[in-house]
Amino acid sequence: MKNKTSLDIFFRTFAQYPLDQVGLNAFALADAAQDHRFLKDLNYLKIQCLLKEATGEKAKKISPHLIALSNDFNAPEWGWVERYVAGSPNMTIIVTSLNFDSLYHHLRQFLEIKFDSGLEMMLAFWDPFILATLVGQDKDKTLYVDGPVLDQKQREDFLKPIQSWWYWDRLEHLHAIFGTNESIHAFPYSEQGLHFSEEQEEMMVEATFPDNLIYYLKLNNSFLVDKFDDYELYQFVISAIPEARNYGLNGTRDILNFICLKLIYKENFLQDMKLQFVLKKIKDKQITMDDAMQTLMSKAS
């Protein structure tokens, strides 16, 4: 059950220093792909899709949006956030001295990543688990990769105009990431994106790996995981990844199949001698994981 009062810490933080009095503004960064109800329920607020490339209503319903929130915590949108968002990864809250347009342009500067390998990708910092890994968050014990992925200068540039950036972790605890709250109204804007080293690329790939596995598990093998809650499944997957790698498995497909075997065999995973015999052949590089799956599934049928 979500903690419906989990914004209390946020409200108490600014109780003695109302946002208007200290020159700060509140915004939300919401992921419509997770829950697009805000597009209708909060349409009286200023909302803009962060991805200019997302044209059309269908595209906007799966894209991140910046939302201007009232500085009055009694405003109806704050009640909506407490009721529908608190405890979830669907929205993060940003407090900054910037106005809407300046924050929008600032965030867009960090959308694109270019890697040493030549690969380019979108940096989904509206996902709180990616955000926390990017900047590092010691108090968040639910992170798979602690981070920070960003180097010191990248982190400073990213958080420079941010007073605080709030998100809920996988256990629904509210966290605050603090920036330096510098005014950048006069700074030139660039949308060339970030450049990541090979090490940073590896950290980002690893950080998103469990959620990618979970996505494919739910997509193709939902019957194996439908009794797990989200955090239980996450814990199961992150504990299985190093086990799979101990057998010499590295690719998404192979590790996904390994996890499926653990889910199928359950408490018999280590006791089933036929399974262990096949897994040992994988470890000894005598067969591939695909060969193993074909052997095991044919025996099962």
Side-chain angles (χ1 to χ4, degrees):
M1 180 179 295
K2 289 180 171 53
N3 180 359
K4 298 298 185 183
T5 62
S6 60
L7 266 175
D8 284 353
I9 297 172
F10 174 84
F11 293 148
R12 289 200 302 270
T13 299
F14 297 100
Q16 293 183 328
Y17 306 97
L19 297 181
D20 284 336
Q21 292 185 19
V22 293
L24 295 173
N25 301 303
F27 302 91
L29 194 55
D31 186 2
Q34 301 298 324
D35 185 346
H36 61 259
R37 284 178 295 179
F38 69 87
L39 292 172
K40 179 180 178 181
D41 294 353
L42 303 182
N43 62 6
Y44 58 91
L45 300 173
K46 184 172 183 178
I47 301 177
Q48 189 168 352
C49 183
L50 195 62
L51 309 181
K52 294 179 180 178
E53 303 80 4
T55 58
E57 293 305 312
K58 288 185 178 180
K60 289 180 180 179
K61 284 185 177 180
I62 57 171
S63 300
H65 291 69
L66 184 64
I67 307 170
L69 300 174
S70 172
N71 285 351
D72 177 4
F73 296 150
N74 293 313
E77 59 265 28
W78 287 105
W80 189 93
V81 171
E82 280 202 292
R83 182 176 181 182
Y84 296 112
V85 177
S88 83
N90 303 342
M91 180 182 288
T92 60
I93 297 171
I94 301 172
V95 178
T96 174
S97 60
L98 297 184
N99 60 30
F100 186 97
D101 291 340
S102 295
L103 178 60
Y104 180 85
H105 288 297
H106 173 75
L107 295 175
R108 276 195 56 84
Q109 293 181 93
F110 299 91
L111 282 176
E112 300 287 338
I113 317 172
K114 295 181 180 179
F115 298 112
D116 281 345
S117 62
L119 179 69
E120 296 183 11
M121 66 176 286
M122 190 78 71
L123 186 60
F125 50 77
W126 50 88
D127 180 329
F129 312 137
I130 292 179
L131 171 68
T133 301
L134 281 172
V135 301
Q137 186 71 354
D138 292 340
K139 293 182 179 180
D140 187 349
K141 303 306 180 184
T142 70
L143 294 177
Y144 178 59
V145 173
D146 293 335
V149 173
L150 298 177
D151 63 33
Q152 184 175 347
K153 184 179 185 309
Q154 289 170 337
R155 187 182 190 279
E156 289 175 355
D157 289 345
F158 185 47
L159 296 178
K160 186 173 289 185
I162 307 299
Q163 189 275 336
S164 52
W165 197 330
W166 301 74
Y167 76 94
W168 288 273
D169 68 19
R170 293 180 190 269
L171 287 174
E172 304 179 4
H173 298 146
L174 187 61
H175 294 266
I177 297 165
F178 292 97
T180 54
N181 195 33
E182 295 182 35
S183 175
I184 61 168
H185 291 280
F187 287 14
Y189 293 121
S190 168
E191 295 183 7
Q192 295 180 352
L194 293 166
H195 182 91
F196 274 11
S197 66
E198 183 177 349
E199 181 182 2
Q200 288 174 304
E201 178 181 356
E202 290 174 355
M203 290 178 72
M204 279 304 304
V205 170
E206 187 69 4
T208 58
F209 192 45
D211 287 307
N212 287 337
L213 291 170
I214 290 169
Y215 170 79
Y216 287 115
L217 280 171
K218 290 183 176 181
L219 181 67
N220 300 318
N221 300 281
S222 59
F223 66 97
L224 292 175
V225 298
D226 56 6
K227 289 184 171 59
F228 288 84
D229 67 31
D230 287 344
Y231 192 66
E232 286 173 342
L233 181 56
Y234 172 72
Q235 288 291 97
F236 185 90
V237 167
I238 65 172
S239 66
I241 292 171
E243 290 183 51
R245 287 172 174 163
N246 283 337
Y247 286 95
L249 302 173
N250 290 297
T252 300
R253 177 186 173 91
D254 286 351
I255 293 180
L256 187 64
N257 281 332
F258 179 86
I259 292 172
C260 287
L261 289 177
K262 285 184 65 70
L263 290 165
I264 293 168
Y265 282 84
K266 299 179 181 177
E267 64 274 7
N268 296 320
F269 182 81
L270 294 176
Q271 284 74 34
D272 191 296
M273 291 299 100
K274 292 181 180 178
L275 172 62
Q276 291 304 313
F277 176 75
V278 171
L279 291 176
K280 186 177 185 304
K281 292 181 75 173
I282 294 175
K283 192 170 187 176
D284 294 341
K285 300 188 183 304
Q286 297 176 16
I287 61 172
T288 66
M289 189 61 181
D290 284 346
D291 294 332
M293 292 299 291
Q294 186 174 358
T295 299
L296 292 167
M297 293 305 103
S298 62
K299 288 181 178 179
S301 58

